[in-house]
């Protein structure tokens, strides 16, 4: 179904005063380590400001940050990190609205069943064949006026998207899951991903080019539904997130019940190298980050789906955590060997959703350091150079958003880009942080033209 309408709600440039380094909007206290300096906050704007309009993922290009939101996306000018500006707000509902960028194109994930593929769509039951979910493509050559170019419907929608670039095309790996036989476009089994091929010069010709089945054996069957929480492992029915390392022809898959290492030397035919499971402690393989030398992967477990309070003594340090794996061996014989768990050492209240979530490397040559979101657990910087003994070297956190768990809150995605940390706070908007630490200061010299965290760059040609 294609009913493109290029009418977008776009708001003109707005300069919002930065919050002070010690306070957050609304007077919530910020607690942090001395090496974390909170430079600025810009609250969510206009139709993207409601509590149910969750801030989601990030992509970066040049002087601009593109922040996803369940109601659309926001373009920020971050050329002066102490005084970021809102350039454009695009209202285009369709959770999660994860974003990635190739050239002058922005790709937006829609994983909620909509009446059509326009930015004026309304919710529609997935049980109806005419309902739409998938990838939307925007031309962002004029960041003040992004132009809607094309939509591509994909099976079970697009929960997340991962860019695998080439000279002439962008390959968008679409992750989705939770099929249901009552959904005409999302029936069981759903052990595949959709690969959308986008000709960079003719994005209007984008289409689904392949639907490779990643789990021909059905993947992890998971635990019976009556297994007591939090010890239940979700069955694999697709992938939640894929992180490509194009320079190494590798991809790490966080696929519900499975952690997977793929060979993507042929971008249309990803090949499984090895698979791991952790039925004792991992409930939901959620996301993945390579170290720069591609000898390690940090997988996250989104225990409770991000909406539960899991950073407490009752859950403990091994559930809802990171798991660090070494990649051992060579070529098709490579294996993933578990080394350790890492979870933030601070306990949160029963009103704070907290679990391991999205992060990225901080590029320090010879070290493996990443910054990461933990929802209402805040922002954590982890050194995993010794994969058997990861340690936290910095953190920043706010108090609880509300006295209940009615709405998600906290930081969704936190990435390091050109010397600064950028957090997309689900309720509070953009945060900019300066990490000043002798262990990471060299990273400030590393400059990128584009960053999609799920398409990792090779910072040092290791």
């Amino acid at each position: 179904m294609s009913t493109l309408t290029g009418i977008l709600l776009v708001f003109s440039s707005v300069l919002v005063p930065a919050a002070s380094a010690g306070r957050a909007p609304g007077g919530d206290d910020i607690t942090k380590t001395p090496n974390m300096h909170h430079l600025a906050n810009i609250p969510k704007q206009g139709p993207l400001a409601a509590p149910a309009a969750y801030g989601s993922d990030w992509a970066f290009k040049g002087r601009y940050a593109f922040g996803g939101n369940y109601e659309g996306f926001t373009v920020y000018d971050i050329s002066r990190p102490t005084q970021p500006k809102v350039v454009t707000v695009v209202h285009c509902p369709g959770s999660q609205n994860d974003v990635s960028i190739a050239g002058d194109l922005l790709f937006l994930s829609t994983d909620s069943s909509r009446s059509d593929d326009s930015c004026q769509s309304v919710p529609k039951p997935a049980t109806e064949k005419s309902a739409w979910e998938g990838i939307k493509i925007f031309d962002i050559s004029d960041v003040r006026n992004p132009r809607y170019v094309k939509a591509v419907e994909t099976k079970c929608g697009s929960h997340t998207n991962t860019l695998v670039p080439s000279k002439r095309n962008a390959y968008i790996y679409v992750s989705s899951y939770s099929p249901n036989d009552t959904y005409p476009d999302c029936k069981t089994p759903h052990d595949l991903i959709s690969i959308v091929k986008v000709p960079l010069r003719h994005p209007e010709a984008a289409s689904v080019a392949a639907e490779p089945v990643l789990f021909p054996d059905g993947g992890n069957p998971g635990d019976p539904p009556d297994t007591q929480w939090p010890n239940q492992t979700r069955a694999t029915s697709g992938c939640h997130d894929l992180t490509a390392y194009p320079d190494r022809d590798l991809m790490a898959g966080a696929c519900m019940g499975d952690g997977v290492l793929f060979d993507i030397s042929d971008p249309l035919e990803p090949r499984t190298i090895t698979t791991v499971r952790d039925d004792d402690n991992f409930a939901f393989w959620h996301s993945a980050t390579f170290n720069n030398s591609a000898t390690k992967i940090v997988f996250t477990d989104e225990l409770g789906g991000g909406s539960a309070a899991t950073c407490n003594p009752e859950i403990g340090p091994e559930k809802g955590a990171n798991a660090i794996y070494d990649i051992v061996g060579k070529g098709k014989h490579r294996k993933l060997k578990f080394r350790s768990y890492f979870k933030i050492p601070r306990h949160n209240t029963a009103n704070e959703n907290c679990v391991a979530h999205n992060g990225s490397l901080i590029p320090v040559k010879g070290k493996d350091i990443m910054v990461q979101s933990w929802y209402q657990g805040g922002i954590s910087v982890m050194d995993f150079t010794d994969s058997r003994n990861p340690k936290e070297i910095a953190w920043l956190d706010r108090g609880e958003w509300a006295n209940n768990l009615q709405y998600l809150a906290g930081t969704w995605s936190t990435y390091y880009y050109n010397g600064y940390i950028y957090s997309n706070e689900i309720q509070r908007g953009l945060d900019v942080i300066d990490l000043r630490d002798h262990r990471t200061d060299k990273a400030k010299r590393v400059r990128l033209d584009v960053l999609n965290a799920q398409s990792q760059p090779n910072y040092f040609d290791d």
Side-chain angles (χ1 to χ4, degrees):
M1 178 179 184
S2 181
T3 56
L4 292 182
T5 56
I7 302 171
L8 305 175
L9 296 180
V10 180
F11 296 84
S12 60
S13 176
V14 179
L15 174 61
V16 181
S20 70
R23 304 290 289 182
D28 296 337
D29 287 336
I30 288 179
T31 55
K32 61 185 183 64
T33 49
N35 54 359
M36 295 283 270
H37 298 263
H38 186 251
L39 301 182
N41 172 269
I42 295 183
K44 298 186 296 184
Q45 306 287 303
L48 278 59
Y54 303 148
S56 58
D57 211 4
W58 283 118
F60 301 87
K61 180 183 179 183
R63 62 189 285 186
Y64 300 105
F66 298 78
N69 179 290
Y70 273 44
E71 288 290 317
F73 64 92
T74 302
V75 184
Y76 301 90
D77 183 335
I78 55 171
S79 55
R80 296 179 64 189
T82 58
Q83 291 185 299
K85 300 177 182 179
V86 174
V87 177
T88 310
V89 175
V90 176
H91 188 208
C92 194
S95 61
Q96 299 180 146
N97 278 338
D98 279 10
V99 290
S100 60
I101 289 173
D104 288 329
L105 301 177
L106 179 144
F107 309 104
L108 197 67
S109 286
T110 300
D111 190 35
S112 60
S113 186
R114 311 296 299 180
S115 58
D116 56 53
D117 58 9
S118 76
C119 286
Q120 292 75 44
S121 68
V122 295
K124 189 171 190 176
T127 52
E128 297 190 25
K129 176 63 177 174
S130 61
W132 186 90
E133 300 176 77
I135 287 283
K136 299 182 178 110
I137 303 172
F138 290 80
D139 183 324
I140 55 168
S141 53
D142 180 356
V143 293
R144 296 185 180 277
N145 295 285
R147 181 174 60 87
Y148 189 1
V149 175
K150 172 75 172 181
V152 179
E153 188 170 16
T154 57
K155 290 180 179 177
C156 298
S158 174
H159 193 69
T160 61
N161 75 79
T162 299
L163 172 70
V164 178
S166 70
K167 282 188 176 181
R168 295 181 176 86
N169 303 297
Y171 295 96
I172 308 301
Y173 285 35
V174 174
S175 296
S176 55
Y177 57 95
S178 294
N180 188 306
D181 285 334
T182 67
Y183 301 162
D185 298 319
C186 185
K187 291 181 178 293
T188 60
H190 182 74
D191 298 315
L192 55 81
I193 61 171
S194 298
I195 302 178
V196 177
K197 180 180 177 181
V198 185
L200 295 176
R201 292 187 178 182
H202 300 284
E204 69 281 357
S207 64
V208 174
E211 293 177 339
V213 174
L214 304 182
F215 302 97
D217 64 350
N220 192 336
D223 290 323
D226 59 351
T227 303
Q228 186 175 3
W229 191 88
N231 295 316
Q232 185 185 60
T233 297
R234 286 280 296 275
T236 298
S237 63
C239 291
H240 179 278
D241 214 329
L242 301 165
T243 296
Y245 197 158
D247 194 55
R248 297 300 181 91
D249 289 332
L250 291 176
M251 183 169 69
C255 301
M256 304 182 70
D258 294 273
V260 192
L261 179 65
F262 296 100
D263 180 324
I264 56 169
S265 52
D266 182 341
L268 291 175
E269 294 185 7
R271 180 178 59 83
T272 298
I273 299 173
T274 190
T275 300
V276 290
R277 295 174 181 172
D278 182 353
D279 293 339
D280 291 330
N281 287 312
F282 256 47
F284 189 92
W285 296 71
H286 170 272
S287 57
T289 302
F290 288 96
N291 69 335
N292 196 70
S293 60
T295 58
K296 303 172 188 175
I297 302 176
V298 178
F299 287 102
T300 67
D301 172 24
E302 195 182 41
L303 174 68
S307 61
T310 74
C311 297
N312 53 49
E314 292 74 26
I315 299 298
E318 296 181 341
K319 296 181 184 295
N322 296 331
I324 300 167
Y325 286 78
D326 285 351
I327 302 173
V328 300
K330 294 183 179 181
K332 64 181 181 180
H333 301 295
R334 282 170 285 191
K335 299 293 183 183
L336 293 169
K337 295 294 185 183
F338 172 78
R339 297 306 186 208
S340 63
Y341 296 108
F342 171 83
K343 192 172 183 179
I344 57 172
R346 294 165 300 287
H347 291 151
N348 287 69
T349 72
N351 297 323
E352 293 178 287
N353 56 297
C354 174
V355 76
H357 215 239
N358 296 348
S360 77
L361 288 185
I362 297 178
V364 180
K365 191 172 181 62
K367 297 288 185 180
D368 299 324
I369 300 174
M370 70 177 289
V371 63
Q372 184 180 5
S373 287
W374 289 77
Y375 286 109
Q376 289 202 73
I379 296 166
S380 176
V381 179
M382 174 187 69
D383 185 332
F384 63 106
T385 306
D386 180 353
S387 55
R388 290 180 170 86
N389 185 33
K391 56 186 178 181
E392 186 175 61
I393 63 173
W395 59 271
L396 181 147
D397 191 16
R398 288 186 170 94
E400 62 184 37
W401 167 255
N403 61 359
N404 57 56
L405 292 171
Q406 181 179 359
Y407 290 105
L408 287 182
T411 174
W412 179 292
S413 297
T414 304
Y415 301 146
Y416 188 93
Y417 178 68
N418 289 353
Y420 295 90
I421 293 169
Y422 296 90
S423 167
N424 202 352
E425 228 276 1
I426 294 169
Q427 299 295 348
R428 296 178 174 98
L430 163 71
D431 282 312
V432 186
I433 297 126
D434 185 8
L435 173 60
R436 303 172 192 166
D437 190 292
H438 70 277
R439 292 164 290 190
T440 60
D441 284 345
K442 290 182 180 179
K444 294 180 180 294
R445 304 173 191 168
V446 178
R447 313 300 290 183
L448 298 176
D449 296 324
V450 176
L451 176 64
N452 301 295
Q454 287 75 37
S455 183
Q456 284 192 221
N458 187 343
Y459 289 102
F460 304 113
D461 294 324
D462 288 347

